[in-house]
Amino acid sequence: MSSDAFAAGCPAHGGRTPLYGPDFAARPQRVYEALRRYGPVAPVELAPGVPASLVISYSAALDVLRDPVTFPKDARRWQQGVPPDCPVLPFMMYRPACNLSDGAAHVRLRTAIADSLSRVDSTILRESVERNVEALIRGFSEKGTVDLRAEYALLLPILVFNEILGCPSDIGTRIVVGMRGFVENVDTANSNQIMMKAVAELVALKRARPDQDLTSWLIAHPAQLTDEELIEQIALLVGLATEPEQNLIANALLLLLSDDRFAGDLSGGSLPVEDAIDEVLWADPPLANWAVSYPTQDVDLRGVRLPADQPVVIGFAAANTDPAAASTNRAGNRAHLAWGAGPHKCPSQGEARMIASVAIEKVLDALPDMELAVPASRLEWRPGFAQRALVSLPVRFSPIHIPPPPTPGGQEMGLAGGLATALRNAAPRRSNALVRWWRGD
């Protein structure tokens, strides 16, 4: 069934538009535009039999994000009516995590995260990004071709964040493997187990041998987080630091390599990287639909009745492109909602932009004749209602030799290579049932 038919309200889905399947993954903006016929909020389906309301108006999204009392994050009342095999349940269920808590609990957990993140030295962080970027580029610069998503954008945030967490590579790999399946709604129960077991091992390791790293600082924080709370906050941080970050890098690189507004500047020697990042955060944000809340009673939002205990999802991509709030100049305009708003707004957006900027600038500088290996229209997008994420980003370029740095650096590249292999081999298997509902069958 076409995305137009879905957006019109498919009878097979209770008149709701499914936010899954290849049609939605390939052309989400087409679906969002069709949904505007409903007004500021549209009826959608997150998975078969999982109804939700998608907020697609910019001003209505701000109303929800800034009102945590009316729109709380606690999912426990909702999940009581959801079958245990629901594919999005592990992704949306209540956990004692900062982004899923309200009131005093939220303040306590967010304070522990914010205080610990503030101890990360920005100079050391940038050095880590640059060192890992250079090692990754050296690893593929002589090949002439590379999948920038799998061999660059995916690996960089993992390598950097493993250093920040003080996380051994074997544990870090398992955390990310689980997180990836979790976000993509692929074998979510097993992916959740893989991720949480690995994070628990990290917490146990750092309780026994604390160091100068983010995990140890969270453990030592005056909030005295329990092991369960520590595991949940670290899983949250890993998810936000890896999945959205790799999507931001890959989506901005795609824009720079395929859009005439930017590609012409690249050939002239100018790298409008910050402009491309702003454009992506407006039109193709890495988290396209998220910030889920669960009203405990029926609520009127801009003339739309939202039923109690049903998910209300913020459509960041749709709200950012709302015609009523459209901006004619996005370069340097940071009024988008990609980082959220209100009390749950992302606390580390500056660091996220820095990582993406360094990654993009350095690979374009090192490989100046890089171009897409296939037309942009043939690229595929990964499933899942929450993300805007490429399957791959194949490029070609003139092979060059980049000598290693004067100091020994082979260990970094060995870690990256091993991580790439582990992620390929350990990718969660898609069940036939999941494949069917992705396809909209």
Side-chain angles (χ1 to χ4, degrees), residues 58-59 61-62 65-66 278 281-282 316 319-321 325-327 329-341 345 349 353:
Y58 183 94
S59 57
L62 283 175
L65 292 168
R66 291 171 173 171
D278 285 332
L281 290 171
W282 274 101
F316 293 119
N320 281 345
T321 53
S327 172
N329 182 17
R330 291 171 177 168
N333 187 338
R334 308 289 168 82
H336 57 75
L337 300 177
W339 308 114
K345 187 174 184 178
Q349 52 190 280
R353 283 191 71 106

Side-chain angles (χ1 to χ4, degrees), residues 117-365:
L117 285 172
S118 70
R119 297 181 65 176
V120 177
D121 187 291
S122 59
T123 301
I124 293 175
L125 174 60
R126 189 177 188 94
E127 289 173 352
S128 172
V129 176
E130 292 179 345
R131 182 179 67 255
N132 282 292
V133 159
E134 290 162 3
L136 288 168
I137 295 173
R138 279 198 307 275
F140 57 72
S141 64
E142 297 186 50
K143 298 192 320 183
T145 62
V146 69
D147 177 354
L148 280 179
R149 186 252 163 182
E151 298 181 57
Y152 190 62
L154 169 64
L155 300 182
L156 175 63
I158 300 170
L159 293 168
V160 171
F161 209 66
N162 278 356
E163 292 184 13
I164 295 172
L165 284 170
C167 183
S169 60
D170 63 322
I171 295 178
T173 298
R174 283 184 283 129
I175 292 174
V176 175
V177 166
M179 178 61 68
R180 186 175 63 176
F182 195 58
V183 172
E184 293 183 11
N185 298 336
V186 180
D187 195 9
T188 47
N190 184 53
S191 296
N192 186 47
Q193 279 190 333
I194 292 171
M195 178 180 65
M196 303 311 278
K197 182 180 179 182
V199 176
E201 289 180 30
L202 175 62
V203 170
L205 174 66
K206 291 301 175 178
R207 279 206 185 276
R209 297 197 298 273
D211 204 344
Q212 293 300 305
D213 54 58
L214 184 58
T215 307
S216 301
W217 297 333
L218 277 169
I219 291 172
H221 192 271
Q224 297 183 324
L225 304 187
T226 65
D227 277 2
E228 182 186 16
E229 290 172 334
L230 285 164
I231 290 168
E232 294 294 350
Q233 305 335 297
I234 292 170
L236 168 64
L237 289 169
V238 170
L240 294 177
T242 55
E243 280 293 329
E245 187 70 33
Q246 65 151 313
N247 297 341
L248 177 58
I249 295 169
N251 294 359
L253 280 168
L254 171 60
L255 185 68
L256 285 160
L257 293 171
S258 64
D259 192 309
D260 289 342
R261 292 173 297 167
F262 299 95
D265 289 334
L266 290 178
S267 62
S270 173
L271 302 180
V273 170
E274 291 298 330
D275 290 353
I277 290 175
D278 285 332
E279 178 71 17
V280 166
L281 290 171
W282 274 101
D284 261 335
L287 281 177
N289 303 294
W290 193 229
V292 187
S293 59
Y294 307 86
T296 57
Q297 58 186 5
D298 291 355
V299 175
D300 283 319
L301 178 65
R302 300 294 179 100
V304 180
R305 192 71 166 172
L306 305 180
D309 303 321
Q310 186 179 102
V312 175
V313 182
I314 301 298
F316 293 119
N320 281 345
T321 53
D322 179 0
S327 172
T328 56
N329 182 17
R330 291 171 177 168
N333 187 338
R334 308 289 168 82
H336 57 75
L337 300 177
W339 308 114
H344 288 274
K345 187 174 184 178
C346 175
S348 56
Q349 52 190 280
E351 291 80 359
R353 283 191 71 106
M354 182 273 289
I355 293 170
S357 295
V358 171
I360 296 165
E361 288 172 359
K362 284 194 171 290
V363 75
L364 292 175
D365 184 55

Side-chain angles (χ1 to χ4, degrees), residues 70-85:
T70 305
F71 298 96
K73 299 292 187 180
D74 193 324
R76 281 176 285 193
R77 286 166 55 112
W78 165 77
Q79 67 194 52
Q80 289 175 2
V82 177
D85 61 348

